[in-house]
Every structure is written in structure tokens, then in C-alpha cells.
Amino acid sequence: GNGKVHYLPYYLPCPEIFSMKLQYTEEKPVQLFPQLFYQQPRVLAPERQDVLTITPWLAPIIWEGTFNSAILDSAYRPLNLTIGVTAFAIGKYTRFVGRFLESAEKHFMKGYQVNYYIFTDNPETIPNVQLQPGRRFVIVPIRKYPSWQEISMRRMEAINKHIAETSHQEVDYLFCLDIDMVFYNSWGPETLGDIVAAIHPGYFNVPRSQFPYERRSSSAAYIPDGEGDFYYGGAVFGGLVKKVYEFTRTCHMTILTDKANEIMAAWQEESHLNRHFLSHKPSKVLSPEYLWDDRKPKPPEVHLIRFSTVDKNYKEIRD
Amino acid sequence: RWDVLVLTPWLAPIVWEGTFNRDILNAQYMEKNLVTGVVTFAVKKFWFFIQGFMSSANKYFLAGHQVNFYLFPDNPEQISHLQIAPENHLFVIPVQNHSQWQNISMSHMDIIRRYICSQFQYEIDYLYYIDIDVQLFGHIGVEIIDTLVATISPWQYTTRRESKSYETCPESQAAIPKGEGDFYYTASFYGGSVAKIYKLTRACFKGVTEDRENDIEARWHDESHLNSYILYHKPTCLLSPEYYWDEEL
């Protein structure tokens, strides 16, 4: 035809995300701690002397022993918070939903309102799991991409879009978790923070030169030698819903930048997440207790495994 | 630092030398374009400390960032010329000398509260109170900037809670019941966001006034009220006794 040609940059398939303005209240919840009796904290007697419990930018690193659940619950429960969880069950991964939800019902944010958002291409295969009162389960239909890498990387976009359309009105905090995992022990309000990342179980005791960061400078996820705080796992991240919206958008943009340059980062969105958290440091870091790999032997520093992988045959599941 | 507690049971950091990287924190602070204020009083003989305080604070307190110093003297003529860094501002606000009051420090809370309302909230994001008879010997930087910050008293950080100087008289508004108490905090150095400090000073002054009406005086005056308030409104960040040390210890 003879109409005007519009050059929509092809690396922006969802322009509406970037123009959406979200209304949030800026105020952090005010922390009032009611009267409670507990053991006196001792200035010269730290509970954990074997692990780092604070980052150089003064964000807590959550290990068993560093926090008192009763104190935290006493401050958080009255706030009537709703915690959201996103998990992607695409293709054969729907088989993990039942166990994920049953274990979450036992261990995840007990006593709080929880919304589970299960993103799937196959809603009929999602089992019906009995939930505790105050907790609900929502199926979010999404399309399936041809390769598992693409499926993995498109999560950022899907989470971001869903926050903008739905979950920002329904939850205060949002955790984005992998579905092929099980809760074994308590996951509570000690994990709540503005921007929360978890240390990858394979790299918590390893020098930064050995972190599997993306090392090609042509990628937007590039981290040069000599830089890096921790290696964060892509299976667990979260925070205030507004903050999750912001960083999933940034990660999705860097992922698309790489796509436009025909490069895929070494560990897909996990590489982009690590790049992002290097420049925008998390306000709270979860120890590998919160992101464990059952194939690894439990080291003495990990007193408690709270959330861990389910043993699976990757070849069989992925394609 | 493996020898000291660096995280409270409610997950607030306790800032000790060696636990933080000031460069990272400076970068984060500068991104947000924040302005911090310091409020201090120089009443009666305390005018003597103004020079020492101002010259050390000007050099070492949040060096390189804009700081607004709010100095409340009762006798402004006694203040000699004070040099301040180009990025800082000094506001001298004369106050009345309340010689009828038993303790001048008690009304500091109310003055701070009133000025937050009328002036400070428009000029600064974070506000810190520091006693005038303090000299800084080393840098105090942005590691102290957080929503509600209290300093662990250098005289009591090893004692059991029963021997701490909490107010025990149950009729006082500052009373802390037996079996409660995390740390003993000093009233000589505390701060936080302007909104939180407004609430803190308002609550402490309310406690002081109610005690007065019942003819009670808390043992450690505004410090007792501060400790009582902070027990239930737990700080988001604690400063170790390194931040307020007494040379005699």
C-alpha cells in the first residue's frame, strides 16, 4: 500500500509494558513490634561465626541462627500482607506442580495470605491441590516457546507483564521460584525485603573467578574478571512487587538486547540476573538453605535445607 | 568481623568497622540524591564545645556529601566564626535557656519535633542528633543512613538486661518491664528518616510530659524514654559502640 511506514524497533515486542504506569504507595510498612519475651541478644556472642551474615553493603544474609522467627512474625503478621509466588510449569514440568504446592502449604509463609500464580501452557494437567484458608491458586495461561532456553528466558517478560496486569493489585511481596523444587523446612518473613536474591548452592564457597558469569563482552550480561559479589541462583528471587516489576523489566530488556545481537548468555536469564544484581545490589540475600541442590552433600555450614531441587532427568523433561 | 554480633534477631545490621564497604554505600547514597541533617544543642556552658564539634563534624561527618548542620545555642554571640565545607550548610537557631526545667535535655525532643514540622522536613531526608560535647576522630559515613538508627551505648554493651539502665519504675512512661530489652542505646547519637525521627521525638516528649504530670522523672531522662520507644519500634540499623565511644572506657 501507500501508507506511512512505521518502524517499530523489533526488539520491543511488548511496547505496552514500557508505557504502563503503575500506581503504588511509596511507604514501606511501619514496623511496630509488640511486647514479646525472648532471649537477650549478646553483642559479643554472634550465633553464627562460621558464615558471612552481612554483605559489604549491609544487607543481611539469611542463615539459620541469624534471626528470631517469633520477633519477625510479631511485626509482620499484623500487617495483613499477601505474598505472591510465581512458578512456571511448561510442557512436562507440570508434573512438579503437585509436590511444589503441597510442600509450600506445609512450609512457605505459614500464617500469611499467599497467592500462587502457576504459569502454564497446559492448564488441564495442573492438579487440584487443597490449600489452607487465606491461600489461593491462580492459573496463568502462557504460550510455549520452541526451546527450553527460550522458555526460561521469557519468564522475566511474563512475570513483568503479569505484575502490570494483575498481581500488583493483589500482592505486597512477590517471589519467583522454579517449579521443579520442594520445600522441606520453614520459609518465613525473614525472607521479606525490597529486593531479595539467593546464593546459588554450587558457588557459595568458591572464589569469584570461578563464578559462571557471562564472560563475553558482547553480551549485555557480561561481568568482567575481578568483579562480582556472589553467584545468585535464577531459581529464587523476589521482593516488593514494585521492585520485582522494575528488575524483571530490566532483565528482559538486556535479554532482548542479546537476542538482537544473536548471542545467548551462558546461563540464560540467570546470567542477566547476576549482571543486574551486581549493579543494583539486593537489599537481602538468602543463604543456600533457600536454594539447595539435593544432589550435593550437605556441608556443615548449611544447618537446614528449606527449598531444594527435585531429582530429574533433564534430557527427558526439556524437549 | 567474627567476634561481634553484626545482625540483630530482627535482621537489622549492626555496623562495626570491617563489616561494610563505604564505596559501595556511597554509590548507593549518591544515586538517591539525599540530604542529611545534624541537630545539636549548645546550651549554657556547652557553648565551649561548639568549635571542636563543628570542626570535627564538618571534616568527618558524611564527608563529601551535603550536610545541613542545625545548631541550637542559647547564646549565639559566644559562637566564633565557624568554617564549613562548601557542600555543607549551617543554620544557627537560638533557643531559650529553660533554667526552670530540671533538665534542659528534656525539651530538646520537643524542639527537634517542632523544627522537623516547620523546617527540616522540607530541607533534609535524614536527621541525626549528636551531643555537642562529642568530637569525631574518624570518618562517619553513609553506613549510618537508614530509616531508624540507634547507637549501642559503650558503657553497657556487655551487661545482662537486668543490669542495664532501663527505667524500672512502672509508673514512668519510660518503664521497660523485667525480661524485656534488646540493647541499651545512648541518647547522644541517634537518627533516621525525618518522618521516623518526628514520631520518635514526639513519643519521647509525650512520655516526658506525662511523667512530669505524675511527678516522676525517669532515671536517665530522655535516654530512658528513647530506650523505651526503641524497644517496640526497633531500629532498622544499629551503630556499634565504636560510633560513640568514651575515652575514659
Side-chain angles (χ1 to χ4, degrees), chain B residues 1-172:
Chain B
R1 289 299 294 266
W2 303 109
D3 55 329
V4 290
L5 195 64
V6 296
L7 203 56
T8 67
W10 62 92
L11 298 175
I14 305 177
V15 184
W16 300 84
E17 185 61 31
T19 58
F20 62 92
N21 178 322
R22 198 172 276 139
D23 291 331
I24 301 179
L25 295 172
N26 270 332
Q28 291 179 332
Y29 182 84
M30 289 196 287
E31 252 176 47
K32 298 179 218 163
N33 261 320
L34 300 167
V35 181
T36 297
V38 172
V39 62
T40 189
F41 294 79
V43 179
K44 292 191 173 167
K45 295 204 184 79
F46 283 80
W47 67 265
F48 175 77
F49 295 105
I50 295 176
Q51 184 67 39
F53 175 88
M54 281 307 305
S55 65
S56 67
N58 185 55
K59 187 170 168 207
Y60 288 124
F61 191 86
L62 259 63
H65 301 287
Q66 182 189 342
V67 179
N68 287 6
F69 289 96
Y70 299 100
L71 174 61
F72 288 86
D74 59 350
N75 202 344
E77 295 85 54
Q78 283 180 304
I79 304 176
S80 52
H81 176 71
L82 297 166
Q83 277 272 60
I84 60 159
E87 64 267 11
N88 295 341
H89 296 105
L90 172 63
F91 297 84
V92 179
I93 308 168
V95 284
Q96 251 193 307
N97 181 0
H98 292 273
S99 50
Q100 310 97 302
W101 292 62
Q102 267 181 298
N103 274 291
I104 289 157
S105 68
M106 298 291 227
S107 63
H108 288 183
M109 292 286 186
D110 192 47
I111 293 173
I112 295 171
R113 182 196 66 80
R114 281 188 282 117
Y115 275 86
I116 288 177
C117 211
S118 61
Q119 181 178 351
F120 301 166
Q121 63 164 314
Y122 305 108
E123 298 176 348
I124 51 176
D125 305 291
Y126 290 90
L127 180 67
Y128 287 80
Y129 169 83
I130 310 180
D131 270 355
I132 190 88
D133 58 346
V134 155
Q135 274 219 33
L136 281 68
F137 293 106
H139 284 283
I140 291 184
V142 298
E143 65 277 7
I144 70 168
I145 305 295
D146 209 311
T147 311
L148 182 61
V149 183
T151 309
I152 298 175
S153 171
W155 294 282
Q156 305 209 11
Y157 69 97
T158 53
T159 52
R160 304 205 79 84
R161 46 162 72 113
E162 305 80 54
S163 3
K164 290 197 194 291
S165 303
Y166 296 137
E167 177 55 54
T168 45
C169 169
E171 282 81 43
S172 166

Side-chain angles (χ1 to χ4, degrees), chain A residues 32-33 35 37-38 40 42-44 46 49 51 53-58 60 62 66-68 190 281, chain B residues 2-9 13 16 20-21 24 158-161 164 178-180 182-183 232-234:
Chain A
L32 177 64
F33 291 79
Q35 179 183 56
F37 292 93
Y38 48 82
Q40 179 187 355
R42 305 310 305 271
V43 174
L44 299 177
Q49 292 179 294
V51 289
T53 56
I54 195 137
T55 69
W57 58 95
L58 298 176
I62 314 296
T66 58
F67 61 94
N68 181 321
E190 71 279 2
K281 299 193 190 302
Chain B
W2 303 109
D3 55 329
V4 290
L5 195 64
V6 296
L7 203 56
T8 67
W16 300 84
F20 62 92
N21 178 322
I24 301 179
T158 53
T159 52
R160 304 205 79 84
R161 46 162 72 113
K164 290 197 194 291
K178 226 174 160 209
E180 288 188 59
D182 302 306
F183 304 99
Y232 301 114
H233 303 81
K234 295 193 194 300

